Amino acid sequence: MTAPAGGSSVATSPAVLATAFMILAGALFASMHGTVRLISFDLHPFVIAFYRNLFGFLVLVPLLMRGGVGMFMTKRFGFHSIRACINSMSMLCWFMALSLIPLADATALNLTGPLFVTLGAMIAFGERVRIWRWTALILGAIGALMVIRPGFEAVNLGALLAVAATALAAISKLFAKSLTKTEDPATIAAYVQFLMTPITLVVALFYWQWPTTEQLFGLMAIGALGSLGHLFTAKAYAIADLSFAEPIVFTRMIWATIFGYVAFSEIPDIWTWAGAFTIVMATTIISYRERVVKRASAGKV
């Protein structure tokens, strides 16, 4: 059967749109992380984390008003609280890491997120592990070691904090996956943002500094950039398979390099690029194999 005229352009438009969303999300996240690093020279990262959550919560206020008090109805408040604590620790580690190591290095290590999610799912949910997953996990570990280079360079505390932040974020995602069985996604998002604000405030009080007017605008930008970055990432995943969208995450490295060079005169070396590329290859293998398994399972139904 002959395809109708113009069919190919219609077929490819979702892919083009998803690509645009992912590239834009990468630029937003890199700008957010770069702004965190820039402000952290004068303001403690823990204080920045509190304001990130405060302004992030304010962005959700219109959604909360529309959903009403029913959005907070839950029988799993303890589960939400544990997840908020884990997410808060992840953010605190991540913001501290951004203050200690070059932006591109932190971004490269942050790309290991899907690998930690896969490892966590294997442990927490007993998911079956095949050769492809083991290959991807080993490949991702090699990529991370390329960036950190233990034994060849002194292991920076910032690098360890970046890995810890990524691992904790993966645990938080596993908690969220469990919550989706009984909770509405809006409830999950509302609770984590609502609870993280006071949690990070308690930690920030030990290092408290009142931001200047200029810093306050930067903190507001951090909140807005983070929220928009998550929005565009969600839009990309909604219209394209993970196996298609995942490799485009590599553009975060490009944006981080541009921001790092312009703002801090930082130039990542060849090992950072090689490590980031290896990590993205590993996460792409996982997302592609999951797509194949889902299609096979759907075909059996």
Side-chain angles (χ1 to χ4, degrees):
M1 184 180 291
T2 305
S8 60
S9 62
V10 173
T12 56
S13 59
V16 172
L17 195 58
T19 301
F21 281 147
M22 289 298 291
I23 292 174
L24 181 56
L28 290 167
F29 281 127
S31 299
M32 172 195 163
H33 299 155
T35 305
V36 170
R37 179 163 171 75
L38 192 63
I39 297 178
S40 69
F41 292 144
D42 300 307
L43 200 64
H44 197 281
F46 291 174
V47 177
I48 298 173
F50 160 67
Y51 278 103
R52 161 67 181 95
N53 287 308
L54 176 62
F55 289 122
F57 176 72
L58 293 178
V59 168
L60 285 178
V61 167
L63 174 65
L64 299 178
M65 292 177 64
R66 195 181 321 130
V69 294
M71 185 176 293
F72 286 94
M73 298 298 291
T74 180
K75 294 181 179 179
R76 306 179 71 182
F77 180 77
F79 218 72
H80 285 290
S81 300
I82 294 172
R83 180 177 179 242
C85 288
I86 294 171
N87 234 36
S88 297
M89 288 190 292
S90 173
M91 181 177 287
L92 293 170
C93 287
W94 177 242
F95 279 25
M96 182 61 79
L98 288 172
S99 72
L100 296 173
I101 59 175
L103 190 58
D105 287 13
T107 301
L109 292 171
N110 189 241
L111 295 176
T112 59
L115 301 175
F116 280 110
V117 172
T118 298
L119 185 61
M122 288 160 46
I123 298 171
F125 303 126
E127 293 187 2
R128 191 173 181 181
V129 186
R130 298 183 183 275
I131 186 64
W132 283 102
R133 281 193 175 187
W134 281 119
T135 301
L137 289 171
I138 293 171
L139 199 61
I142 292 172
L145 289 173
M146 286 182 184
V147 178
I148 300 173
R149 297 189 291 284
F152 296 93
E153 292 186 5
V155 177
N156 192 303
L157 175 61
L160 297 179
L161 286 171
V163 173
T166 307
L168 288 167
I171 295 172
S172 175
K173 289 178 182 178
L174 294 174
F175 269 76
K177 181 178 180 180
S178 176
L179 284 167
T180 56
K181 297 175 182 178
T182 58
E183 310 285 281
D184 185 88
T187 299
I188 298 171
Y191 261 110
V192 73
Q193 197 66 65
F194 175 72
L195 293 171
M196 284 177 68
T197 304
I199 291 171
T200 51
L201 173 60
V202 171
V203 180
L205 287 175
F206 290 96
Y207 306 89
W208 190 256
Q209 301 167 254
W210 287 105
T212 63
T213 302
E214 183 179 348
Q215 290 170 343
L216 194 59
F217 279 113
L219 294 167
M220 292 171 65
I222 288 170
L225 290 167
S227 298
L228 288 172
H230 285 296
L231 173 65
F232 284 116
T233 301
K235 284 182 175 292
Y237 286 153
I239 60 178
D241 290 324
L242 274 173
S243 57
F244 173 82
E246 197 61 43
I248 307 172
V249 173
F250 190 75
T251 58
R252 289 189 189 183
M253 273 294 298
I254 299 172
W255 292 116
T257 300
I258 293 172
F259 198 108
Y261 178 74
V262 172
F264 314 111
S265 299
E266 296 173 349
I267 302 176
D269 60 26
I270 187 65
W271 286 106
T272 299
W273 281 106
F277 181 73
T278 305
I279 292 167
V280 171
M281 275 202 308
T283 57
T284 302
I285 289 172
I286 287 177
S287 59
Y288 174 75
R289 289 301 302 174
E290 287 180 352
R291 177 186 177 188
V292 170
V293 170
K294 285 181 180 179
R295 284 186 172 180
S297 300
K300 293 178 182 178
V301 176

